[in-house]
Amino acid sequence: MAGMSLQHPWAFAFGLLGNIISFMTYLAPLPTFYRIYKSKSTQGFQSVPYVVALFSAMLWIYYALLKSDECLLITINSAGCVIETIYIAVYLVYAPKKAKMFTAKLLLLVNVGVFGLILLLTLLLSAGDRRIVVLGWVCVGFSVSVFVAPLSIIRLVVRTKSVEFMPFSLSFSLTISAVVWFLYGLLIKDKYVALPNVLGFSFGVIQMGLYAMYRNSTPKAVLTKEVEAATATDDDHSAAVKEHVVNIAKLSAVDVVVKTREVHPVDVESPPAEAQSVATGEAPPQQDDKAAAVAVSGAGAGEKKEGQEQV
């Protein structure tokens, strides 16, 4: 085995170092899943990176088994399969129902469907060295797509001028891992192991450069179109609610006016002014205090005069 042979001591050294660094990278999400366990909630985290990492580990194990001289690839990717499976299991326990269904469908599609299709096609349509070549290029293509994924994070860092979403430790460990695995592939003359790590090293250097550029800069608030649309929708909804309340108030006022203006013929005397004011909701009419006093005094004087005439 080229990776383990004492005839390739440097290859073994770089392969062992790659195992250590990659193992530590696999353990990087542990604080995230400890937080999920403590809060009993996935807190909006996505399961896609862990499903993809599991698929990548499965592919490289299959490739290493076919080539039969890549023991160090088998060890690290076997550990990766176990760790990623634990991550996904914890995610499924605490994820909401919708996220559970999405993760289950993704597992069936990628880790069962796509991997099963690759396994079937390579076993039926190719043989010997050709099978290794086909599977090797499949691994290269998938690894390149995984390394391209951080482009979205790089774009976000440039737009916001904030390195909050791109920890330096993770970028540094991925860069060192890419260098180590590139040297390992170069020493054992395996281009399928070496090629993807050239791209991984390039993106790692870009990420560390951006970190050095923006680590002391003031973060820039970026309002996306989706947030603006959501804000506009909320404002429209609030305006509609206010207009609805105003219309109800107007209709209620009109209804009161109509009711107070209705005429109902009755045979009895009309109710006192106070009762009418209660029925209509209007304030009772205010009497002039002076006029009332004059009326009372006048009535008293009339009664006194009438009494004198009778006498």
Side-chain angles (χ1 to χ4, degrees):
M1 294 184 182
M4 296 290 292
S5 176
L6 293 177
Q7 297 178 357
H8 300 83
W10 285 108
F12 175 74
F14 281 115
L16 186 61
L17 184 59
N19 271 251
I20 296 172
I21 296 173
S22 297
F23 184 76
M24 294 177 66
T25 305
Y26 276 128
L27 296 180
L30 269 180
T32 298
F33 281 90
Y34 180 74
R35 198 182 342 169
I36 290 174
Y37 169 74
K38 293 291 288 184
S39 63
K40 310 299 181 185
S41 170
T42 54
Q43 304 177 359
F45 289 105
Q46 299 294 320
S47 61
V48 176
Y50 312 107
V51 174
V52 170
L54 178 60
F55 178 69
S56 176
M58 292 167 63
L59 269 182
W60 283 110
I61 288 175
Y62 179 39
Y63 171 78
L65 289 173
L66 284 181
K67 199 169 181 184
S68 72
D69 60 352
E70 301 285 354
C71 183
L72 291 175
L73 281 179
I74 294 175
T75 54
I76 185 57
N77 286 289
S78 298
C81 280
V82 174
I83 294 171
E84 298 298 336
T85 301
I86 294 173
Y87 289 158
I88 294 171
V90 173
Y91 184 90
L92 289 173
V93 170
Y94 297 111
K97 184 177 180 180
K98 187 176 180 180
K100 286 181 181 179
M101 293 299 296
F102 174 77
T103 304
K105 290 177 182 178
L106 191 63
L107 280 170
L108 289 174
L109 176 65
V110 176
N111 298 79
V112 178
V114 176
F115 182 77
L117 183 63
I118 292 173
L119 186 67
L120 190 64
L121 291 177
T122 51
L123 289 176
L124 295 179
L125 301 181
S126 58
D129 292 338
R130 182 174 176 79
R131 181 182 299 163
I132 296 175
V133 171
V134 171
L135 184 60
W137 283 114
V138 170
C139 292
V140 169
F142 184 76
S143 298
V144 167
S145 66
V146 171
F147 280 126
V148 170
L151 281 176
S152 59
I153 301 298
I154 293 174
R155 180 170 174 266
L156 183 63
V157 169
V158 173
R159 290 180 62 199
T160 61
K161 300 185 183 303
S162 171
V163 294
E164 178 184 359
F165 305 100
M166 191 179 66
F168 178 80
S169 57
L170 183 60
S171 300
F172 180 75
S173 63
L174 290 175
T175 304
I176 296 299
S177 177
V179 172
V180 170
W181 284 112
F182 168 77
L183 293 174
Y184 173 78
L186 192 65
L187 289 171
I188 65 172
K189 299 178 180 179
D190 191 334
K191 60 183 177 182
Y192 306 115
V193 175
L195 283 177
N197 289 288
V198 175
L199 191 62
F201 171 75
S202 302
F203 281 119
V205 170
I206 292 172
Q207 289 181 24
M208 289 192 294
L210 289 174
Y211 186 91
M213 186 182 301
Y214 293 119
R215 66 191 178 98
N216 294 323
S217 62
T218 303
K220 177 182 176 183
V222 177
L223 186 63
T224 61
K225 293 182 178 180
E226 291 80 4
V227 175
E228 291 177 351
T231 306
T233 303
D234 293 341
D235 293 341
D236 294 341
H237 179 68
S238 300
V241 171
K242 291 179 180 178
E243 183 179 357
H244 185 59
V245 171
V246 171
N247 288 336
I248 290 175
K250 289 179 179 177
L251 289 173
S252 300
V254 172
D255 188 52
V256 170
V257 172
V258 171
K259 286 183 178 180
T260 56
R261 289 183 180 178
E262 289 181 353
V263 178
H264 299 282
V266 292
D267 296 332
V268 297
E269 295 181 358
S270 59
E274 294 181 356
Q276 289 182 358
S277 63
V278 172
T280 60
E282 298 177 354
Q286 300 289 335
Q287 293 185 352
D288 192 348
D289 295 338
K290 291 183 179 181
V294 170
V296 171
S297 62
E303 290 177 358
K304 183 177 181 180
K305 185 178 181 180
E306 184 179 354
Q308 289 176 354
E309 288 178 354
Q310 289 178 358
V311 172

